[in-house]
Amino acid sequence: MDTTMDQLRTLIMVHEAGTALGAARILGREQSSVQKQIDTMNRNFRELCGEPLILKQGRGKDVLFTGTGEALVELARGTLGDWLDGIHESRRRLGKTLMVGTTRFTLSYLAGAGERVAEDFRQRGIELKVGHVRTRDVLAKLRAKDVDLVCGSVVTRPEGDDELAAFDVMEWRRSGVSLLTNLSEAELPGPTAPTSALRTLPLVVSASGLMAGVLHTWFGGDYRGKLRIAAEIDTVNYGFELLRSGLLRGCMLVTKGVADAAGDPRVVYGRGLRAVELVNDTGPRLEVLLGAFTRRGERASYDQAHPLNLLWDALAQENARWQREQRWPTAGLEPDPFELANSYDPSES
């Protein structure tokens, strides 16, 4: 019962490294210090349980953990994990740490908001941690409390979505779904097409991501068996290049904003491609929502000076600034970064 947290951490490191020497290197300690802790725990648990935790296997060989040792390692991982979770939760509640997740395309947008609060956070000793979140995990990371706020995209319905009821949502942009294609108008008349036409069109699709979620909703989990998959891609940029090359004749699902921007001859990624807007006649109408998300009610439980509320307000200001200054598509050569974020990048999945 005299086992300390530090001893439990040492035990876990020995289990992972295989030897006291390996654990010492990980912990930045002398091997003798680690070995002394192991010998103490071995002696205590031999008396307590009738068996030591670890058995030596000979010089240069990994130690052998007994049944009691393996059980204690698992218990130690859970104990230390719960302990750290409790500490992080306290730091989060007191505003000492803020965990923020962002997808690849929203990182630069978060950076602008971060600049607005950086000095205040520095003066107050607030630790801002930022991590990459894949598009498919945007809401899951919030549910698991891995992050306090996340910037990214989700597929939703215009009339509302029960899944979003558990979150506060700062909506930056919504976009419908369209096609980019190199097919002629004889092969695919425009400017619109029903979603049911996707069953017969050669499609460029990703293995996962937002647009894969759209197809899953419209055509079911076995949509690959129902559709004409002409090519599977790893990144959205490769899809643009594949269609522009003419090597493959087909269509790729993107947001309406990306498809509309492609009609401007100054936009390199859309050169030679044509936009066709999808008119829904299969399943529910879907949109891609880009924005910031937090757990519902959490911001309201904190005062306005809490870092979560400060960053939320900074994101709102950054969105307002962008709305004032954005000029796309009347000027500039690059597509709206928000629409690109609303598009799918399978590397984000």
Side-chain angles (χ1 to χ4, degrees):
M1 298 305 294
D2 293 330
T3 303
T4 67
M5 290 286 189
D6 188 54
Q7 287 176 330
L8 293 179
R9 183 177 65 155
T10 298
L11 183 69
I12 292 171
M13 290 300 101
V14 172
H15 189 271
E16 292 182 357
T19 64
L21 177 60
R25 288 171 175 167
I26 295 172
L27 294 169
R29 295 179 179 174
E30 295 294 329
Q31 180 181 357
S32 59
S33 172
V34 171
Q35 190 62 57
K36 182 177 179 180
Q37 285 186 317
I38 294 300
D39 290 343
T40 298
M41 285 188 286
N42 258 350
R43 183 173 58 254
N44 290 343
F45 279 87
R46 180 183 286 111
E47 295 176 359
L48 185 64
C49 301
E51 140 177 275
L53 304 178
I54 297 172
L55 300 174
K56 294 182 179 180
Q57 293 290 90
R59 188 177 182 84
K61 294 183 179 180
D62 287 355
V63 297
L64 176 66
F65 275 74
T66 65
T68 300
E70 291 287 354
L72 186 61
V73 167
E74 290 305 308
L75 181 61
R77 286 198 176 106
T79 299
L80 291 179
D82 291 344
W83 179 264
L84 290 174
D85 287 345
I87 292 174
H88 292 324
E89 185 63 31
S90 294
R91 286 179 60 83
R92 178 180 292 138
R93 178 175 52 81
L94 296 173
K96 296 298 183 181
T97 301
L98 187 64
M99 304 288 294
V100 181
T102 173
T103 57
R104 175 185 169 192
F105 284 116
T106 56
L107 179 58
S108 59
Y109 191 74
L110 175 64
E115 290 179 1
R116 297 176 182 270
V117 298
E119 182 60 22
D120 186 18
F121 280 21
R122 186 190 67 78
Q123 291 182 2
R124 294 169 57 187
I126 297 169
E127 183 180 14
L128 177 62
K129 294 185 176 182
V130 180
H132 176 222
V133 173
R134 298 183 184 277
T135 302
R136 67 183 180 188
D137 296 328
V138 164
L139 300 183
K141 287 289 186 179
L142 279 172
R143 290 193 192 94
K145 293 192 174 182
D146 293 334
V147 295
D148 303 304
L149 181 150
V150 64
C151 302
S153 301
V154 297
V155 176
T156 187
R157 304 183 185 191
E159 65 274 12
D161 195 322
D162 291 342
E163 187 178 24
L164 293 180
F167 306 97
D168 287 338
V169 181
M170 182 191 301
E171 183 176 320
W172 295 337
R173 189 71 61 84
R174 282 180 183 258
S175 182
V177 181
S178 293
L179 290 176
L180 271 184
T181 184
N182 59 8
L183 297 175
S184 67
E185 292 200 17
E187 296 170 291
L188 177 58
T192 65
T195 54
S196 57
L198 295 176
R199 296 179 182 274
T200 59
L201 294 171
L203 299 177
V204 176
V205 301
S206 64
S208 55
L210 289 176
M211 295 304 165
V214 169
L215 292 176
H216 183 284
T217 301
W218 282 342
F219 299 102
D222 59 342
Y223 66 86
R224 278 179 167 74
K226 299 176 181 178
L227 304 175
R228 289 178 58 193
I229 308 300
E232 293 202 12
I233 57 176
D234 292 327
T235 67
V236 65
N237 288 334
Y238 183 76
F240 294 141
E241 293 169 4
L242 183 62
L243 291 176
R244 284 204 318 269
S245 72
L247 183 64
L248 179 146
R249 305 284 292 173
C251 312
M252 182 169 66
L253 268 73
V254 295
T255 60
K256 186 177 184 298
V258 169
D260 289 347
D264 192 309
R266 298 169 296 175
V267 178
V268 175
Y269 80 82
R271 194 164 294 160
L273 302 180
R274 182 168 57 94
V276 176
E277 184 177 353
L278 286 173
V279 178
N280 186 269
D281 68 347
T282 304
R285 183 184 170 198
L286 299 176
E287 294 179 335
V288 180
L289 184 157
L290 177 72
F293 307 83
T294 65
R295 289 177 288 275
R296 182 171 293 280
E298 198 161 286
R299 290 188 307 110
S301 69
Y302 302 139
D303 62 43
Q304 194 55 40
H306 190 280
L308 179 60
N309 284 321
L310 293 178
L311 185 59
W312 185 267
D313 291 344
L315 285 167
Q317 294 171 34
E318 188 68 11
N319 182 47
R321 181 195 66 79
W322 188 90
Q323 295 288 351
R324 290 193 304 270
E325 297 178 3
Q326 69 91 12
R327 297 174 297 169
W328 179 262
T330 58
L333 302 180
E334 293 301 321
D336 176 347
F338 287 90
E339 294 293 0
L340 273 181
N342 269 344
S343 183
Y344 69 96
D345 182 353
S347 66
E348 287 281 286
S349 303

